[in-house]
Amino acid sequence: MNAAAKLGAYVLGLTVVFGGALGVGQVAGPTAAPAQVEDHAAMAPQEDHAAMAPQGEHEQTKSDTPRGLQVSENGYTLNPLTTVKAGEPTDFRFTVTGPDGRPVTDYQVEHDKKLHFIVVSRDLASFQHLHPVQDGDGAWSVRLTLADPGVYRAFADFAPVGGGNLTLGADLLAAGDYKPQPLAPVTRKAEVDGYTVSLAGDLVPGQASKLTLSVSKDGKPVTDLQPYLGAYGHLVALRAGDLAYLHVHPEESVKAGPEITFYAEMPSGGDYRLFLDFQHDGKVRTADFTARASGAGPAQPGTSGHGH
């Protein structure tokens, strides 16, 4: 079987697994593959009056669908404009169009940035937290490398001026012979660049769960963490399978480590990948864990006020 056929079979299998096991067909929006040309008609909201609402005056509706599963929400759509080849650095471009069909140009600054851009492989083995640059016409660009062939999920986390915070997701395809990695086992410790990060606390679906991550190096607690994007740590949680998304920010603390405390509400039971960004000695590092949400709790979709 050639490479294209293998990848096609993988993507078909991926659709069956996600749709059957997790009901993605009921909760997720349309999946957007990278394209050179925007198709606003295909991605526009179903309600005509929503598509015609002026930017900044569009009515925000609360959805029970977990974040990141939809390419369009409240009239806003994520539009990839660039194809990506595996292993080749690419100046990746995309837009976020508003209810009027035009690229959004005005964003609120959240955690020092107008837009956070997260790219992960569908098997959750690869994670990138990027910060694109916006041009005068509203298009965003960022240097992006997808190291291996496969399917990736890109998340745009932002708040347009006049609107609430949104997380939109779209799939990116890097053609080639793809071999998905198994999900990393559940663990309480992660090692990165000589640092050890320990996780305390349990995930309970449907309610805010306290998570404390402690950073040490060479067996000694790190007490001089440096702020990164206005905080001592940023935590992204992704549900295994459909990649439901939470971006969680820590409690404010006058202490620069070793502990960073978060409250995160998982939309359901199951396995999640947790990615912690922290900065020390002038460099940002990412520690990753697999954690399981279980136990009693109202397993309702959505996220708490501590994450978005």
Side-chain angles (χ1 to χ4, degrees):
M1 183 181 293
N2 60 29
K6 290 182 180 179
L7 183 60
Y10 165 72
V11 173
L12 177 60
L14 193 69
T15 303
V16 172
V17 171
F18 288 170
L22 294 170
V24 175
Q26 297 179 1
V27 300
T31 298
Q36 296 290 345
V37 179
E38 299 176 54
D39 185 356
H40 298 303
M43 297 183 186
Q46 294 181 356
E47 299 183 22
D48 292 340
H49 71 273
M52 297 174 63
Q55 183 174 318
E57 298 180 7
H58 185 74
E59 181 181 354
Q60 296 290 315
T61 58
K62 182 174 177 58
S63 171
D64 286 336
T65 301
R67 291 178 177 270
L69 297 182
Q70 302 181 102
V71 71
S72 296
E73 185 176 357
N74 288 337
Y76 295 88
T77 300
L78 174 60
N79 307 284
L81 303 176
T82 310
T83 55
V84 182
K85 294 183 179 180
E88 295 186 11
T90 302
D91 290 324
F92 183 78
R93 299 180 71 251
F94 64 94
T95 62
V96 175
T97 50
D100 59 3
R102 295 194 296 266
V104 178
T105 57
D106 295 325
Y107 294 80
Q108 302 176 44
V109 174
E110 293 194 325
H111 307 286
D112 292 346
K113 298 292 181 180
K114 292 182 177 181
L115 185 144
H116 298 262
F117 195 61
I118 309 294
V119 180
V120 298
S121 56
R122 272 285 184 181
D123 61 8
L124 292 173
S126 168
F127 173 89
Q128 298 181 66
H129 184 170
L130 307 171
H131 295 103
V133 176
Q134 187 183 27
D135 65 23
D137 295 326
W140 294 89
S141 61
V142 66
R143 194 71 166 170
L144 174 64
T145 302
L146 304 182
D148 300 307
V151 183
Y152 293 76
R153 188 72 171 171
F155 300 95
D157 187 342
F158 64 94
V161 170
N165 180 270
L166 294 169
T167 303
L168 303 179
D171 279 352
L172 309 178
L173 176 64
D177 190 4
Y178 177 45
K179 298 179 180 179
Q181 300 298 313
L183 188 69
V186 173
T187 182
R188 291 280 182 173
K189 287 189 177 181
E191 304 285 343
V192 54
D193 291 347
Y195 293 82
T196 300
V197 181
S198 301
L199 171 65
D202 296 312
L203 300 179
V204 179
Q207 68 183 48
S209 303
K210 182 179 180 180
L211 303 176
T212 301
L213 294 111
S214 301
V215 183
S216 63
K217 186 178 183 182
D218 300 326
K220 299 179 181 179
V222 174
T223 58
D224 58 345
L225 291 172
Q226 298 164 325
Y228 170 59
L229 301 176
Y232 288 121
H234 292 269
L235 183 67
V236 170
L238 295 163
R239 183 168 61 187
D242 65 352
L243 276 60
Y245 172 101
L246 295 90
H247 188 177
V248 192
H249 300 279
E251 283 191 322
E252 292 186 8
S253 175
V254 296
K255 295 182 178 180
E259 294 183 347
I260 314 170
T261 299
F262 300 84
Y263 287 86
E265 182 177 326
M266 302 304 170
S268 70
D271 290 338
Y272 290 79
R273 287 285 285 162
L274 309 180
F275 298 93
L276 172 71
D277 289 333
F278 66 94
Q279 183 167 251
H280 189 245
D281 285 342
K283 183 179 179 180
V284 177
R285 297 168 173 86
T286 302
D288 58 271
F289 302 81
T290 299
R292 183 163 296 148
S294 59
Q300 300 174 351
T303 59
S304 71
H306 296 280
H308 60 252

